[in-house]
Amino acid sequence: MKKVIYLDVGTHFGQEFLSLFGKNQTFYVKVLRRMIGQYIFRRGEKFTLTNIRTMIQSRRVVRENLKDFLFFFVEANPNIINHADVYTRAHGVFNCALTGNPSLDFTKLFLGNDYKLSQGSSIFLSKDNVSRDNFVTTLGVPAKIFFEALKQHIDSLSTDYVVVLRLNCEGVEDDVIYSAHEIFKQKLVLISGSLKDVKGCKGVQAYEKLENYMSFNSIPFVFFSSLPNSWEKAHSSIMRVYDEFQKLTGKKNK
């Protein structure tokens, strides 16, 4: 069985996932709010009806073909997993923090703005929105060990697949990408999300090293956040991956 693997590391309530795979009501409410902000309050980047039509088309195709996808979520904060129903949509949910450490350990997830459901929590104290005294304890799993185990599991489910990695994990993005590419190799066909926290937590040199690595290995990247303005390009990139999947399996787009 051929599958497109959607792997989300640092899910933050699965907002990006829901923008493409979620219910229509949630999608249209967020788009409407964005349009109100643009046309009434004159806030935010330009957002057109053409953008919306493209996203509606992408959503229609993937929602009609959900059986072709497998979803895996990694979320370090147990409070978020216990609070949101989106995690019931996944084929696997892992409550852990992926790290660049050599072995398993218990690690502190420092809560962004001292809020237990914060989207900006991090294992790094170098983030400016966290404090040493406000954290939850989570399992730290070396990214390479995690992806080795996940690959074995996926191999047992699918004879052929490609991986779309969506990530925003507050400074660990470089460790996640290096390990995911090492394990999945050419099967890792798209990375989406945000990489800016690498620069904020680890510095410019680490960020430039990551950019050079992705460029050298020709790994496509598209910005994908909870902001609707990022959705059209991100959705279209994922759709291109799915279209290639269809060509390989001899399917036709509906």
Side-chain angles (χ1 to χ4, degrees), residues 184-202:
F184 289 111
K185 298 181 172 60
Q186 289 82 7
K187 290 183 181 294
L188 179 62
V189 296
L190 177 66
I191 295 176
S192 65
S194 175
L195 306 178
K196 66 180 180 63
D197 287 328
V198 174
K199 183 186 296 185
C201 293
K202 296 180 178 177

Side-chain angles (χ1 to χ4, degrees), residues 150-159 161 187:
L150 181 61
K151 183 178 184 299
Q152 289 181 8
H153 177 61
I154 295 173
D155 287 344
S156 73
L157 301 175
S158 175
T159 56
Y161 58 89
K187 290 183 181 294

Side-chain angles (χ1 to χ4, degrees), residues 59-247:
R59 285 173 50 81
R60 181 184 68 80
V61 173
V62 299
R63 285 167 60 83
E64 290 175 350
N65 296 277
L66 288 176
K67 66 182 184 304
D68 296 332
F69 292 83
L70 291 176
F71 306 117
F72 295 96
F73 294 164
V74 180
E75 173 55 53
N77 190 340
N79 297 309
I80 290 178
I81 293 177
N82 294 332
H83 189 80
D85 292 337
V86 66
Y87 295 97
T88 63
R89 296 281 307 276
H91 297 89
V93 179
F94 309 99
N95 179 201
C96 63
L98 301 189
T99 73
N101 298 334
S103 59
L104 288 168
D105 60 6
F106 288 106
T107 189
K108 295 177 180 178
L109 180 70
F110 300 102
L111 300 177
N113 303 312
D114 297 332
Y115 176 49
K116 72 175 185 178
L117 299 179
S118 172
Q119 297 184 44
S121 301
S122 176
I123 62 174
F124 296 106
L125 275 171
S126 51
K127 283 206 72 181
D128 58 9
N129 67 328
V130 302
S131 62
R132 183 182 300 275
D133 298 325
N134 206 325
F135 62 88
V136 294
T137 301
T138 192
L139 180 65
V141 180
K144 183 177 179 180
I145 292 176
F146 175 83
F147 287 122
E148 286 174 339
L150 181 61
K151 183 178 184 299
Q152 289 181 8
H153 177 61
I154 295 173
D155 287 344
S156 73
L157 301 175
S158 175
T159 56
D160 192 13
Y161 58 89
V162 291
V163 177
V164 173
L165 175 61
R166 206 296 307 184
L167 77 173
N168 186 355
C169 36
E170 313 301 328
V172 197
E173 290 83 359
D174 53 346
D175 294 308
V176 170
I177 290 172
Y178 296 146
S179 296
H181 184 243
E182 179 182 354
I183 301 305
F184 289 111
K185 298 181 172 60
Q186 289 82 7
K187 290 183 181 294
L188 179 62
V189 296
L190 177 66
I191 295 176
S192 65
S194 175
L195 306 178
K196 66 180 180 63
D197 287 328
V198 174
K199 183 186 296 185
C201 293
K202 296 180 178 177
V204 174
Q205 187 173 359
Y207 179 77
E208 291 179 346
K209 178 183 176 183
L210 176 59
E211 282 198 319
N212 291 336
Y213 179 89
M214 293 174 63
S215 176
F216 178 79
N217 289 284
S218 301
I219 305 174
F221 174 81
V222 61
F223 178 67
F224 193 11
S225 77
S226 59
L227 299 175
N229 289 90
S230 73
W231 292 355
E232 182 190 11
K233 289 184 179 179
H235 291 184
S236 295
S237 296
I238 295 171
M239 278 305 304
R240 282 194 293 272
V241 170
Y242 183 68
D243 285 342
E244 289 300 316
F245 165 83
Q246 289 179 314
K247 291 176 184 177

